[in-house]
Amino acid sequence: MKGKLEPTERQKLIDEGKNLKEGLLSLEEDLLKLIDELQQEAQRIPNMTHPDVPIGGEDFSTIRKMVGSPREFSFPVKDHLQLGKELDLFDFDAASEVSGSKFYYLKNEAVLLEMALINWTLVEVMKRGFTPLTTPEIVRSSIVEKCGFQPRGANTQVYSIEDSDQCLIGTAEIPVGGIHMDSILAASLLPLKYVAVSHCFRTEAGAAGTASRGLYRVHQFSKLEMFILCRPEESDFYHEELIRIEEDLFSSLGLHYKTLDMASGDLGAPAYRKFDIEAWMPGLARYGEISSASNCTDYQSRRLGIRFRSTEPALTNPKKGKSNLAPPQFVHTLNATACAVPRMIVCILENNQQEDGSVIIPEPLRPFMGGLESIYPKPR
């Protein structure tokens, strides 16, 4: 039997134990802080890039396809701001008083045009096997980060809600990406194809100049976003499918556009490869981006914890008591703009303007606007 400790020796050991416990708690706090800092730094590392991606800044992007040619006008061309004023379609002044700059009211036929663009696009994309969604427009900051966006910082595009861990979405890609977070999908379910309708909110930090006037760059807008989850070996195929859908939609509306293979310096953190479409906007006298299609490979799914398990047996013999199923793999995620409404309105107004001041509605949209064929100036 061990002898009893002297009271002073016993107290000394008790004090040492308390000090060790307090020191351990302090070390655990330091460890959690370091893990968080490491995670923040790791999230700044971008995705790999496809071997065919042009290297360099935006100017090094290459043209994949050119559709149509700029319309030739026999009269002075107006931009969408002037057209909107004469046709009584927008009110930026009142919105500026109510909400601030880069907000707007749509009025009269512009409201019908927005609804028509949304409903026509939704119908067309659903024909390709996409499931329609409306999404939450407020999400947790952690979801934004896991999708590859930075919700904090001087030049963030994300509106954060004060005293909370929530943000307004800048794209439906974020809430759609979170639907299957921390799950293992059956391989038989893939690909999962969604088309989501949402409002989007962006700070547009650093954006200024004539290129940002009017509806081209705003803080709030409606958008339809396509999103696909698939097997890794199929993501290149579905990337091509997404860009074909975009091109079909814009061709149906009679737009002149070019498809670009974006250079490495313009990909953003999540994208392995990105195709942008820029349409001719005669009132602005330049091409403007109207959509993009990105293959994010497993960049988002690793952060979101989205995996799939094949029903095919593993190639190696399992250990006793272990399943013979193949281990789960991370899915690949892809996203593409089906319709960014304000920029589509810019394209339609500027390209379809007539000498008498009217604007012709593209034929595919007319059934969704009660048969309306043209928008005419209002009598004063």
Side-chain angles (χ1 to χ4, degrees):
M1 245 180 113
K2 294 181 181 177
K4 275 190 171 184
L5 291 172
E6 292 293 328
T8 55
E9 186 68 21
R10 185 171 181 274
Q11 186 59 45
K12 182 181 176 182
L13 292 173
I14 290 172
D15 291 341
E16 284 180 6
K18 286 181 178 178
N19 290 335
L20 285 172
K21 187 175 181 181
E22 290 172 1
L24 182 60
L25 288 172
S26 177
L27 287 171
E28 287 176 343
E29 288 174 1
D30 290 343
L31 177 61
L32 288 173
K33 184 179 178 181
L34 285 170
I35 289 172
D36 184 59
E37 289 175 0
L38 177 62
Q39 181 69 16
Q40 293 298 320
E41 289 300 314
Q43 285 179 347
R44 296 173 64 182
I45 300 173
N47 199 350
M48 304 291 284
T49 55
H50 191 285
D52 293 338
V53 167
I55 304 300
E58 184 179 0
D59 292 341
F60 288 85
S61 301
T62 58
I63 297 176
R64 275 172 51 103
K65 187 176 184 179
M66 182 78 77
V67 175
S69 58
R71 176 186 165 193
E72 294 184 4
F73 293 86
S74 60
F75 54 90
V77 175
K78 302 170 184 175
D79 66 14
H80 71 281
L81 280 170
Q82 186 176 352
L83 289 164
K85 183 177 181 180
E86 293 175 1
L87 298 172
D88 196 21
L89 300 178
F90 320 134
D91 193 334
F92 285 92
D93 294 336
S96 178
E97 292 296 323
V98 171
S99 302
S101 64
K102 297 187 184 297
F103 288 93
Y104 57 95
Y105 289 96
L106 293 183
K107 300 168 63 179
N108 300 315
E109 292 91 345
V111 178
L112 301 181
L113 186 54
E114 169 160 326
M115 296 298 108
L117 282 164
I118 291 171
N119 288 310
W120 172 73
T121 303
L122 197 60
V123 168
E124 290 300 311
V125 176
M126 286 172 62
K127 289 177 184 176
R128 274 83 165 182
F130 285 72
T131 300
L133 295 173
T134 59
T135 73
E137 294 174 355
I138 296 176
V139 297
R140 299 186 189 279
S141 301
S142 59
I143 307 300
V144 177
E145 291 172 346
K146 288 174 182 179
C147 286
F149 302 93
Q150 296 299 325
R152 304 286 190 274
N155 289 317
T156 182
Q157 296 297 312
V158 179
Y159 282 109
S160 295
I161 298 175
E162 193 173 2
D163 299 325
S164 80
D165 68 341
Q166 295 174 311
C167 303
L168 301 181
I169 64 170
T171 169
E173 169 191 347
I174 296 167
V176 178
I179 289 179
H180 299 289
M181 184 173 61
D182 297 326
S183 61
I184 299 177
L185 305 169
S188 59
L189 294 176
L190 300 178
L192 287 170
K193 299 180 178 183
Y194 296 108
V195 55
V197 184
S198 76
H199 293 106
C200 302
F201 306 87
R202 299 183 185 180
T203 66
E204 298 296 353
T210 57
S212 301
R213 292 176 65 235
L215 289 175
Y216 188 80
R217 198 177 298 280
V218 290
H219 290 311
Q220 176 184 332
F221 59 97
S222 301
K223 181 163 72 82
L224 285 87
E225 185 80 4
M226 297 179 285
F227 195 93
I228 295 178
L229 303 95
C230 68
R231 292 171 177 263
E233 65 271 18
E234 296 176 338
S235 62
D236 284 341
F237 170 83
Y238 287 113
H239 197 196
E240 292 292 339
E241 178 180 290
L242 287 171
I243 197 67
R244 279 198 306 273
I245 293 171
E246 289 179 329
E247 290 172 345
D248 288 347
L249 292 170
F250 304 143
S251 293
S252 296
L253 295 176
L255 301 183
H256 161 50
Y257 63 84
K258 57 183 178 180
T259 304
L260 301 171
D261 193 350
M262 300 308 291
S264 56
D266 200 52
L267 290 182
Y272 174 66
R273 193 177 195 182
K274 183 175 74 161
F275 302 139
D276 278 6
I277 293 182
E278 296 183 355
W280 179 248
M281 300 176 179
L284 298 177
R286 65 180 181 86
Y287 290 93
E289 180 190 338
I290 57 172
S291 75
S292 66
S294 299
N295 182 356
C296 298
T297 61
D298 60 358
Y299 187 89
Q300 294 174 328
S301 62
R302 285 180 180 274
R303 290 158 174 72
L304 291 164
I306 309 172
R307 297 178 290 171
F308 75 98
R309 190 191 299 276
S310 175
T311 53
E312 299 169 2
L315 296 176
T316 56
N317 292 326
K319 293 182 180 179
K320 188 175 181 181
K322 299 286 185 179
S323 169
N324 193 34
L325 292 175
Q329 302 176 60
F330 288 103
V331 300
H332 278 196
T333 62
L334 304 97
N335 64 82
T337 312
C339 179
V341 171
R343 293 193 183 180
M344 294 306 297
I345 291 177
V346 172
C347 288
I348 289 169
L349 294 182
E350 294 191 358
N351 284 286
N352 292 11
Q353 60 183 291
Q354 303 300 304
E355 191 169 8
D356 65 359
S358 66
V359 171
I360 295 176
I361 303 299
E363 285 192 26
L365 302 180
R366 294 175 189 176
F368 298 89
M369 296 183 67
L372 188 68
E373 296 183 1
S374 296
I375 305 172
Y376 292 97
K378 308 295 185 293
R380 296 183 181 275

